[in-house]
Amino acid sequence: MNMQDTAAVADEAAAWVAQMDAEGWSDVNEAELGRWLSGDPRRRGALLQAQAAWIALDAPAGSGKIEVRLKRRTMLKVAGGALAASLAGGVFVLTRGTTYSTQLGEIRRVPLADGSSATINTASEVKVALAERRRMVTLTRGEAWFRVAKDPARPFVVEAGPVLVQAVGTAFSVRRRDHGADVLVTEGVVEVWTAQAAGYRTKLSAGQSAFVADNAAVELYEEKPSAVDRALAWRTGAIDLNGQTLSAAIGEFNRYNRRKLVLTDASLAAEQIDGLFRTDDPEGFARAIQSSFNVAIDTNDEQTIRIGANEK
């Protein structure tokens, strides 16, 4: 094919990525995308590069969503020639055997070479190995949310310590904890088990979550859609609290920030908190606690924010 044909492939890939980011993506859209990908061997590579460009064009917090989409579409159109040139040169991105890691407070979205994507939370590490018969992801530490491209011939397996989670085409998060892992399913169905008890598998469907212990014990939870959204608010840089204890909330904030919250009044530990906060604003959270519970806070230390005695 000539260069004009290759450029058209890049333009179509950009259009698909813009459509995927919009609301209302459905199984019908997924099937149409599959047919488009199968029509030309260059299209999958074009889609991956367009996804990478889309992520790179994320706007800073506070930008209007419509404005951001327009900007992205414009930039992707301008970049079409470069995408086409890289395709002609045989360049492909984000292939097998790749490790992705995030720093404290960093949240990163990456497209995978099979058409899946991973959103990686703070201080986390994910290793991806895509083979012909199996897609294997190792969550070394931290947390990640996966949207899995459907491929029944190649199960998608996430390993978090001895805990394993398998899906074909679905969306779910895994968080490695001491002695186990949290699994939350947002779409489809997954199976969970541990390496030493592979014959005992538990199925989780959309709206369900579980703590899978390293010793194979499974604690199941039924979640309302709103609870699922709150649990995954970190994907947009937020912590959404709905009845969590102050102690647990402080633990969440300290996952994202070098400046740590310290609770000096143990009597407040079990108090319940509601509210939506930015992950990078522990001081704003502390001031909300100060106002809600009439307690003093000390922000003089650059390393800590102390929440303590009652105000006089």
Side-chain angles (χ1 to χ4, degrees), residues 109-160:
R109 293 194 295 275
V110 296
L112 306 181
D114 65 333
S116 302
S117 63
T119 305
I120 307 170
N121 204 355
T122 176
S124 301
E125 183 177 85
V126 171
K127 298 179 180 179
V128 180
L130 304 178
E132 291 185 2
R133 295 186 179 181
R134 197 182 200 195
R135 297 171 287 176
M136 193 73 199
V137 175
T138 302
L139 180 66
T140 308
R141 64 177 184 272
E143 181 176 18
W145 179 78
F146 304 94
R147 182 178 292 280
V148 181
K150 294 180 181 178
D151 187 349
R154 290 198 302 166
F156 189 101
V157 180
V158 176
E159 180 183 46

Side-chain angles (χ1 to χ4, degrees), residues 9-24:
V9 170
D11 287 342
E12 290 177 0
W16 275 111
V17 172
Q19 185 177 350
M20 281 188 281
D21 192 65
E23 296 180 1

Side-chain angles (χ1 to χ4, degrees), residues 49-130:
Q49 295 189 57
Q51 287 173 321
W54 188 266
I55 291 168
L57 292 171
D58 269 338
S63 298
K65 192 171 185 180
I66 294 176
E67 179 185 350
V68 172
R69 285 180 179 158
L70 289 174
K71 179 182 177 183
R72 281 172 158 178
R73 287 183 179 132
T74 301
M75 292 295 288
L76 285 171
K77 186 174 181 180
V78 170
L83 288 171
S86 63
L87 284 170
V91 177
F92 295 92
V93 297
L94 303 179
T95 55
R96 69 178 65 184
T98 306
T99 297
Y100 306 100
S101 60
T102 55
Q103 301 300 315
L104 188 71
E106 178 187 5
I107 298 168
R108 183 180 177 193
R109 293 194 295 275
V110 296
L112 306 181
D114 65 333
S116 302
S117 63
T119 305
I120 307 170
N121 204 355
T122 176
S124 301
E125 183 177 85
V126 171
K127 298 179 180 179
V128 180
L130 304 178

Side-chain angles (χ1 to χ4, degrees), residues 158-290:
V158 176
E159 180 183 46
V163 177
L164 294 106
V165 186
Q166 177 172 307
V168 174
T170 186
F172 62 97
S173 68
V174 182
R175 178 177 175 181
R176 181 61 190 166
R177 292 184 180 271
D178 293 337
H179 313 302
D182 291 327
V183 181
L184 192 157
V185 183
T186 52
E187 298 175 18
V189 178
V190 304
E191 287 186 329
V192 298
W193 72 96
T194 60
Q196 68 269 34
Y200 298 91
R201 301 192 178 195
T202 301
K203 287 189 176 182
L204 304 177
S205 57
Q208 289 186 310
S209 65
F211 174 74
V212 185
D214 290 346
N215 65 5
V218 178
E219 294 182 51
L220 286 171
Y221 307 95
E222 293 286 344
E223 304 284 7
K224 295 180 180 179
S226 57
V228 172
D229 291 340
R230 285 193 297 271
L232 295 175
W234 60 264
R235 294 177 299 173
T236 59
I239 295 176
D240 194 343
L241 303 173
N242 183 39
Q244 284 89 337
T245 65
L246 179 55
S247 177
I250 287 175
E252 281 299 296
F253 274 95
N254 287 345
R255 291 177 67 197
Y256 296 90
N257 298 281
R258 297 191 184 283
R259 192 182 189 191
K260 303 301 184 183
L261 292 166
V262 178
L263 184 62
T264 61
D265 185 348
S267 67
L268 296 172
E271 293 288 348
Q272 295 186 329
I273 308 298
D274 295 317
L276 183 67
F277 304 89
R278 292 194 345 241
T279 57
D280 62 351
D281 188 21
E283 184 169 337
F285 172 75
R287 294 198 181 282
I289 298 304
Q290 178 185 37

